[in-house]
Amino acid sequence: MRKKFIAGNWKMNTRSIDGELLASAIVKGLGSDTRVDVAVCPPFPFLSRIGQVVRGTPVGLGAQNCYLKDDGAFTGEVSPAMLVDVGCQWVIVGHSERRQFFGESDKLINQKVHAALKAKLRVILCIGETLDERNGNRMKPVLNTQLAGSLADISSEQLKSMVVAYEPVWAIGTGVNATPQQAQEAHVFVRERVGQLCGESAAQSLVIQYGGSVKPDNAAVLLSQPDVDGALVGGASLKADDFLAIVRAGIQ
Ligand code: PGA
């Protein structure tokens, strides 16, 4: 049985004080409950501070991006080793906003995945099709290309330190979530392809999150789908009550 995993992607939101209050409220609300895995992914400047808030609690800490080298002349970049240094266990790689606004390719994303895993970070790898791609009946080929590219040379052993987040771009921040059936169909396809790429048994254990307008009122039905193993939550992760309600929806 795969354990549900709910992660909050704060994106470029919060200031240090409200980030700290948000993380504290999540820690308090969750208590010692470990029936669902939970992580928060604040912006880089607050990782250290939020790391202190969540340390010793069931709430994990993740970053939203990383570079592929450990050190060097890469102005403005942050390395996986630095993320580990400030207490991260997780890093999101290949979010559609990175692909869309910063031109990240599957090749670069694959290099980042390898670098993050080498540094002993666990990776949330994001994939997902745009509305045009879905309407043009290209969802599966697009997911296929993204998976084959970003999982190149990833072994079944390495896959154990990974989560895949299926995030249809048309559902992100739009208030239009995928229907439970659409999510389930995509997740089954992702699991099948990952099985071909990295091995069947590793794919069966792989946690596949859904992301895109997950809210307290749609979380339970999405999370009740057999292949929806969690959620990557953007907007609703910025309110402790909403995020905690989504976490509770994962306890089934
Ligand atoms: P959303 O974002 O929940 O605000 O749609 C999800 C994400 O981009 O990870």
Side-chain angles (χ1 to χ4, degrees), residues 4-5 126 129 132 139 158 206 217 222 226 228 238 248:
K4 296 268 195 290
F5 176 36
C126 301
E129 82 287 357
D132 276 357
M139 175 190 84
Q158 287 172 307
L206 176 71
D217 61 359
L222 284 161
V228 177
L238 296 170
R248 279 192 289 273

Side-chain angles (χ1 to χ4, degrees), residues 9 11 92 95-97 126 167 171-175 211-215 232-237:
N9 173 12
K11 308 195 180 185
I92 299 172
H95 190 278
S96 69
E97 285 146 20
C126 301
E167 300 204 299
I172 295 179
T174 58
S213 297
V214 177
K215 308 285 175 206
L232 183 56
V233 187
S237 73

Side-chain angles (χ1 to χ4, degrees), residues 59-72:
V59 180
L61 184 71
Q64 301 170 18
N65 182 28
C66 67
Y67 193 54
L68 50 94
K69 304 277 189 185
D70 276 346
D71 295 281

Side-chain angles (χ1 to χ4, degrees), residues 81-245:
M82 292 171 184
L83 297 180
V84 170
D85 187 61
V86 297
C88 289
Q89 301 91 32
W90 291 96
V91 62
I92 299 172
V93 177
H95 190 278
S96 69
E97 285 146 20
R98 301 294 319 167
R99 295 173 185 264
Q100 223 179 322
F101 305 136
F102 303 98
E104 293 198 6
S105 64
D106 289 320
K107 182 164 184 246
L108 177 70
I109 290 162
N110 178 247
Q111 290 172 312
K112 290 186 175 193
V113 170
H114 280 281
L117 293 174
K118 191 166 147 260
K120 303 254 178 303
L121 283 168
R122 308 191 72 194
V123 172
I124 300 175
L125 169 70
C126 301
I127 56 167
E129 82 287 357
T130 64
L131 189 58
D132 276 357
E133 289 163 346
R134 175 167 278 264
N135 289 342
N137 224 1
R138 298 207 312 280
M139 175 190 84
K140 288 181 180 176
V142 166
L143 296 182
N144 192 23
T145 303
Q146 290 176 342
L147 285 170
S150 18
L151 289 175
D153 299 317
I154 293 294
S155 66
S156 58
E157 196 51 39
Q158 287 172 307
L159 193 72
K160 290 182 188 160
S161 301
M162 295 187 68
V163 163
V164 171
Y166 167 64
E167 300 204 299
V169 179
W170 47 272
I172 295 179
T174 58
V176 182
N177 59 288
T179 65
Q181 293 71 24
Q182 286 172 325
Q184 171 63 15
E185 190 199 354
H187 285 219
V188 167
F189 178 74
V190 169
R191 199 176 304 285
E192 232 172 70
R193 280 303 290 138
V194 172
Q196 288 155 1
L197 291 162
C198 304
E200 185 52 36
S201 85
Q204 284 307 320
S205 312
L206 176 71
V207 166
I208 305 178
Q209 295 176 315
Y210 166 78
S213 297
V214 177
K215 308 285 175 206
D217 61 359
N218 62 22
V221 59
L222 284 161
L223 291 166
S224 68
Q225 297 300 304
D227 285 275
V228 177
D229 310 315
L232 183 56
V233 187
S237 73
L238 296 170
K239 287 198 189 122
D241 287 348
D242 286 357
F243 186 67
L244 287 164

